[in-house]
Amino acid sequence: MNALQQIWTVMRKEIKVAAEFRGQWLNVFFTPLAFIAVMGMTFGDGGAPTAAVYLVNEDEGRLGRQIVSALRNEPTLDLEILSGRSEADRLVGEGRRMAAIVIPSGLSEAVLTEQGGAIEVIVDPAQEQSAGVVLGQVQAATAPMLIDAEVERGVRTAFNTAPETFGFETTDLKALGVDLETVERFLTAAIQGVVSSQVQDAIDDPLVRIELKPASDVALRQAPTIFDYLTPGYSVFFAFFLMGLMAEIIYEERVGGALRRIFTLPIGKTSFLLGKMLPYALIAMLQIIVVFSVSSLLFNFDLGDAPLAFALLVVATGLTVGGLSILVAVLIRSEGQANSIPSLLAVVLAAVSGALFPSIQLPALAQLTPHYWAIQGFLTITALGGGLTDVALHLCVLLTVAVTTFAVAVWRFQPT
Amino acid sequence: MPASILEAHNLVKKYGDLVAVNDVSFAIEEGEIFGLLGPNGAGKSTTISMLSGLLPPTAGKAIIAGLDVVRETAKVKQIIGVAPQELALYPTLTGRENVRFFGELYGLRGKALIERVDEVLGYVGMLERANDRVQTYSGGMKRRINLAAALVNHPRLLFLDEPTVGVDPQSRNHIFESVERLNREQGVSILYTTHYMEEAERLCHRVGIIDRGRLIALNTPRRLIESLGGGVIQLGLPGADESVRSAVAALPAVRAASFLAPEGAGLPEADQTSATGGQGKAILKIEALHSNEALLQVLHYCNEAQLQILSLDLLEPNLETVFLNLTGKSLRD
Ligand SMILES: Nc1ncnc2c1ncn2[C@@H]1O[C@H](COP(=O)(O)OP(=O)(O)O)[C@@H](O)[C@H]1O
Ligand SMILES: [Mg+2]
């Protein structure tokens, strides 16, 4: 009980001291919104960032060619055409590009059979999250022609199994001067017109599948917009600027002797550091909520519909900001370090994590940053319609980082 | 014999090769004001850090009110108060907020907290300005808040680390009076460190003299001064001549004579040899059994030996002279 009161006392003191640094608050709360607005305008509203992928067409038929040209017209895909599947597989495995779209040989024929066919998307397992986005883009780009193919198959199947069901006799047709093939083509076109109203059904339950290997169970709700990247990216990026403020205050407490005095009082290191860390974790949470709310109001940015998962992600991100920042703050030993290291670290981490420039394709290194997990977690909720189970991994990673960094901070903290 | 509130047994603190505190032992009796007098870097603050449970000693141990400081730190911390040498305050908070913060950390709450904060602020004479930010205070006012914060938990033993550094004379007097009243009226035992010998002489019942980590003398100020015997004479001569030194030392009213390290040479070990080599003035420090007689005999000797006297000082018998006599250095640089 006494420890809780001490934590509360330290928290109130910390907030009072930190409240003096007005410039920092401006930086943490308003700069991300300014950046989001400017970047949003520059990149264009609704334009999702491009994904760099390989494309392999092994199919010699018409469908293969159609799909290639459709994908080429897809502005969000940056394609590099490769001739063979094995080369694509190897390069993706090396992490050169995030995915490879493979149109297997015989697809044009396969779609006309009972079993149907499949377009394969080979993904880098390390970037499975982003692969969901590629899947969506392939779906969007290929949907029309796949539906055509399906209709065609339906008509052919019907003719091949029982032409008489249509009520035509070959001899009658001969008498009319038209051949079966012309009839077939005519009917196909007619039926396609009817079926086009059912396009949506076909997308939902396609006979031609697009397979993701290894599969991601995140269902794409809509293509992510630029704000799905910018909002969490800049929110987390600027939340980490709290690190500089924490480092500065703890440095002043150190040289001013306040730390020495506090630890001649009966208070433990853990209580003291919790009291110092929690205000910033809460401020980071508040900042994320504010930035997301304003972004949603101004830019029509959809917050998804998993409020619990969203709230937990806000809490986990806030605690991670607090934990990592208190660790850095505790290790800093000079004013020069206090002025340079935290902001440098905030920028480097953000740059590596992909928070600064929205991109689906990130170096594997990005996963070492808490930003990455926070951003991907929020993206999963806002753009991909994910829920609690979809962000469970993100929550675990973030909370692990928070707890570990805080524990190391307590361990390494020297008040004298 | 009164019980000891604090016992330091062979305390050692090393920072790598540097021995900041070297085998220091002393005891403070309940109700005593004990002074640690020594120049900057002598090891006073390091000693206080070890005694207050802030810094683990490299060797040795400390007992406060029968409790081992390292093993029973939490209990010890409840009964001590520390006013660090640095102004351990938050400049953007008010004096009252600062004192209140430390009070809350001791577990004080509600009415008891409010009353105690007012009480200690009144004690150091800072009630009027208590609601102003610390950064608007003079050095002396900050020191008084620093003292108030150390009193908030009713400590039985108070550590005051150079509490008058950077203080105007008025605040200085106020602090002296507060310290004396605390000791007289409430029986608080006090460990008071300083490098001002006047403070140690005025306030402390007993004084330990500390230099380069070692406690080199410990007694009441009066006894320490008496140990000088008949006083100390400093004689400036053109060179450090060993035959002159032994002749002076042999004079009947002289107890001992030695050449001081030349100005600027920090270490007394770098003693006579370096003084001899220089062409400048050498200072012969003469401990007299009786100052008047010694003075006459020394002047007589110089006259006979046709030695040129460059300067002559008869040092006041005080703790400064005690320190100089023990270390060959002055307390302040
Ligand atoms: N944290 C530390 N690391 C290394 N050396 C230190 C440290 N703290 C103090 N010292 C050294 O220990 C010696 C004693 O310092 P201190 O106890 O502060 O002296 P005083 O309080 O008497 O001025 C000095 O030489 C100082 O430089
Ligand atoms: Mg000191």
Side-chain angles (χ1 to χ4, degrees):
Chain A
M1 208 54 223
N2 193 33
L4 285 185
Q5 287 179 335
Q6 287 182 326
I7 293 169
W8 178 230
T9 298
V10 176
M11 284 176 74
R12 281 181 9 249
K13 182 278 300 174
E14 190 70 22
I15 289 168
K16 271 191 218 164
V17 172
E20 296 292 318
F21 295 78
R22 306 251 155 69
Q24 299 267 17
W25 299 120
L26 210 67
N27 198 20
V28 168
F29 278 87
F30 296 103
T31 324
L33 286 168
F35 265 92
I36 292 167
V38 171
M39 298 277 283
M41 280 184 265
T42 316
F43 278 73
D45 187 11
T50 56
V53 297
Y54 295 115
L55 177 62
V56 180
N57 181 16
E58 295 178 334
D59 182 36
E60 309 206 310
R62 185 165 54 96
L63 185 58
R65 286 194 302 277
Q66 282 179 339
I67 291 174
V68 170
S69 80
L71 288 175
R72 274 197 165 136
N73 291 333
E74 179 61 51
T76 59
L77 286 176
D78 165 19
L79 293 180
E80 183 180 338
I81 312 270
L82 295 181
S83 55
R85 161 200 300 266
S86 56
E87 188 187 5
D89 196 36
R90 181 173 55 79
L91 291 174
V92 170
E94 287 171 4
R96 303 281 278 274
R97 287 193 164 202
M98 62 186 297
I101 300 165
V102 179
I103 304 164
S105 75
L107 181 71
S108 295
E109 290 80 42
V111 294
L112 300 177
T113 67
E114 196 72 43
Q115 292 78 31
I119 296 175
E120 291 166 23
V121 179
I122 301 169
V123 298
D124 178 358
Q127 301 191 38
E128 216 177 304
Q129 289 304 325
S130 335
V133 178
V134 178
L135 176 65
Q137 284 160 333
V138 175
Q139 259 176 351
T142 57
M145 73 212 58
L146 293 181
I147 289 159
D148 279 358
E150 256 180 284
V151 170
E152 197 173 329
R153 178 184 61 163
V155 175
R156 281 200 194 195
T157 313
F159 268 95
N160 290 344
T161 47
E164 63 281 1
T165 48
F166 290 90
F168 299 121
E169 294 290 332
T170 320
T171 45
D172 291 347
L173 293 171
K174 276 227 174 83
L176 285 167
V178 286
D179 59 5
L180 190 57
E181 208 173 318
T182 314
V183 174
E184 196 185 306
R185 223 180 289 138
F186 169 75
L187 282 175
T188 306
I191 294 168
Q192 271 177 357
V194 176
V195 170
S196 64
S197 65
Q198 296 170 341
V199 160
Q200 202 51 50
D201 293 353
I203 292 176
D204 290 345
D205 184 18
L207 280 164
V208 177
R209 301 173 304 278
I210 297 169
E211 288 176 350
L212 188 63
K213 298 177 177 182
S216 159
D217 49 11
V218 175
L220 185 78
R221 195 178 60 175
Q222 65 196 50
T225 69
I226 187 86
F227 294 107
D228 287 300
Y229 293 88
L230 290 178
T231 310
Y234 278 85
S235 173
V236 174
F237 172 36
F238 281 96
F240 268 100
F241 274 91
L242 289 170
M243 187 156 50
L245 181 57
M246 293 167 82
E248 191 172 338
I249 292 179
I250 208 162
Y251 175 74
E252 279 172 10
E253 286 179 314
R254 188 184 295 287
V255 293
L259 286 187
R260 287 162 63 87
R261 158 168 266 153
I262 286 167
F263 286 94
T264 63
L265 272 60
I267 180 172
K269 285 207 285 182
T270 310
S271 301
F272 177 70
L273 288 185
L274 266 180
K276 280 190 78 72
M277 180 273 261
L278 286 175
Y280 299 97
L282 292 172
I283 290 163
M285 295 175 204
L286 182 68
Q287 186 257 29
I288 295 169
I289 292 169
V290 168
V291 171
F292 271 76
S293 308
V294 174
S295 185
S296 133
L297 284 176
L298 295 186
F299 313 118
N300 242 346
F301 160 59
D302 189 340
L303 296 181
D305 34 41
L308 176 65
F310 190 90
L312 289 176
L313 208 52
V314 171
V315 171
T317 306
L319 289 175
T320 307
V321 171
L324 184 59
S325 302
I326 196 81
L327 174 59
V328 173
V330 151
L331 294 180
I332 273 174
R333 281 289 167 168
S334 72
E335 192 164 13
Q337 289 179 346
N339 288 337
S340 58
I341 291 180
S343 34
L344 191 68
L345 200 63
V347 172
V348 168
L349 281 176
V352 170
S353 74
L356 297 186
F357 305 102
S359 154
I360 307 179
Q361 196 201 3
L362 297 173
L365 201 61
Q367 296 182 40
L368 295 178
T369 67
H371 304 55
Y372 171 87
W373 295 97
I375 293 166
Q376 294 297 325
F378 282 114
L379 183 77
T380 304
I381 295 173
T382 60
L384 309 179
L388 196 52
T389 48
D390 304 306
V391 294
L393 177 64
H394 306 82
L395 287 172
C396 284
V397 171
L398 288 171
L399 289 175
T400 307
V401 172
V403 170
T404 315
T405 48
F406 184 76
V408 175
V410 172
W411 172 47
R412 300 301 303 169
F413 178 48
Q414 286 183 336
T416 52
Chain B
M1 207 185 118
S4 296
I5 180 90
L6 178 148
E7 293 168 30
H9 296 286
N10 310 97
L11 284 177
V12 176
K13 184 71 198 180
K14 290 185 184 165
Y15 292 109
D17 285 342
L18 178 93
V19 188
V21 173
N22 192 351
D23 199 26
V24 165
S25 302
F26 61 93
I28 300 179
E29 276 148 28
E30 186 97 54
E32 188 178 29
I33 304 180
F34 184 95
L36 268 185
L37 176 67
N40 283 330
K44 304 182 295 294
S45 300
T46 307
T47 303
I48 286 193
S49 293
M50 288 190 284
L51 294 174
S52 55
L54 194 60
L55 210 60
T58 309
K61 70 171 176 177
I63 310 284
I64 288 177
L67 301 162
D68 186 301
V69 173
V70 172
R71 276 184 282 129
E72 292 159 293
T73 314
K75 280 187 198 159
V76 166
K77 286 177 172 179
Q78 289 286 359
I79 55 177
I80 62 171
V82 183
Q85 177 177 0
E86 308 91 353
L87 282 166
L89 301 171
Y90 293 97
T92 55
L93 305 188
T94 67
R96 185 186 301 278
E97 283 171 327
N98 269 284
V99 176
R100 207 188 143 88
F101 170 65
F102 294 108
E104 280 183 46
L105 288 185
Y106 277 116
L108 288 174
R109 289 290 175 277
K111 204 159 157 262
L113 175 67
I114 293 170
E115 284 176 3
R116 183 60 185 161
V117 169
D118 273 1
E119 203 178 339
V120 295
L121 287 171
Y123 209 90
V124 298
M126 283 296 293
L127 268 177
E128 251 171 59
R129 296 287 308 274
N131 293 333
D132 295 341
R133 291 175 176 226
V134 166
Q135 64 196 10
T136 68
Y137 293 167
S138 71
M141 292 160 94
K142 289 176 186 166
R143 284 284 165 197
R144 280 146 76 175
I145 294 291
N146 205 31
L147 175 60
L151 296 177
V152 71
N153 65 323
H154 290 283
R156 276 174 68 191
L157 173 61
L158 190 60
F159 294 98
L160 301 178
D161 196 356
E162 311 219 20
T164 58
V165 168
V167 161
D168 53 287
Q170 193 201 335
S171 280
R172 192 180 177 107
N173 271 330
H174 205 293
I175 289 170
F176 287 172
E177 279 159 26
S178 305
V179 168
E180 282 170 335
R181 266 173 61 209
L182 273 169
N183 176 254
R184 202 174 52 236
E185 294 169 9
Q186 303 182 21
V188 178
S189 311
I190 296 164
L191 174 58
Y192 189 108
T193 80
T194 181
H195 63 271
Y196 298 116
M197 60 97 190
E198 313 87 14
E199 294 185 3
E201 264 179 58
R202 165 173 172 179
L203 288 173
C204 301
H205 301 131
R206 286 192 303 148
V207 173
I209 294 181
I210 184 168
D211 183 45
R212 296 191 298 131
R214 283 188 172 277
L215 197 62
I216 51 177
L218 196 173
N219 218 321
T220 61
R222 174 201 287 256
R223 287 271 170 77
L224 288 169
I225 293 165
E226 279 172 5
S227 74
L228 292 171
V232 174
I233 298 159
Q234 282 190 356
L235 193 64
L237 298 170
D241 186 339
E242 170 55 26
S243 64
V244 171
R245 189 201 65 79
S246 55
V248 169
L251 293 169
V254 170
R255 186 166 67 187
S258 61
F259 281 106
L260 286 187
E263 298 279 316
L267 305 172
E269 268 102 339
D271 51 341
Q272 283 92 339
T273 41
S274 54
T276 331
Q279 306 158 319
K281 159 172 129 173
I283 301 277
L284 184 63
K285 187 190 77 181
I286 304 162
E287 286 176 51
L289 292 167
H290 187 279
S291 54
N292 284 11
E293 280 172 27
L295 208 48
L296 283 171
Q297 289 169 6
V298 166
L299 289 175
H300 184 71
Y301 166 77
C302 291
N303 207 29
E304 294 278 287
Q306 297 194 317
L307 270 173
Q308 189 195 358
I309 297 176
L310 297 175
S311 65
L312 180 65
D313 278 319
L314 178 59
L315 299 185
E316 211 181 316
N318 59 22
L319 290 179
E320 176 80 44
T321 307
V322 173
F323 186 80
L324 182 119
N325 190 36
L326 290 169
T327 65
K329 298 183 301 188
S330 109
L331 267 173
R332 268 166 281 176
D333 351 80

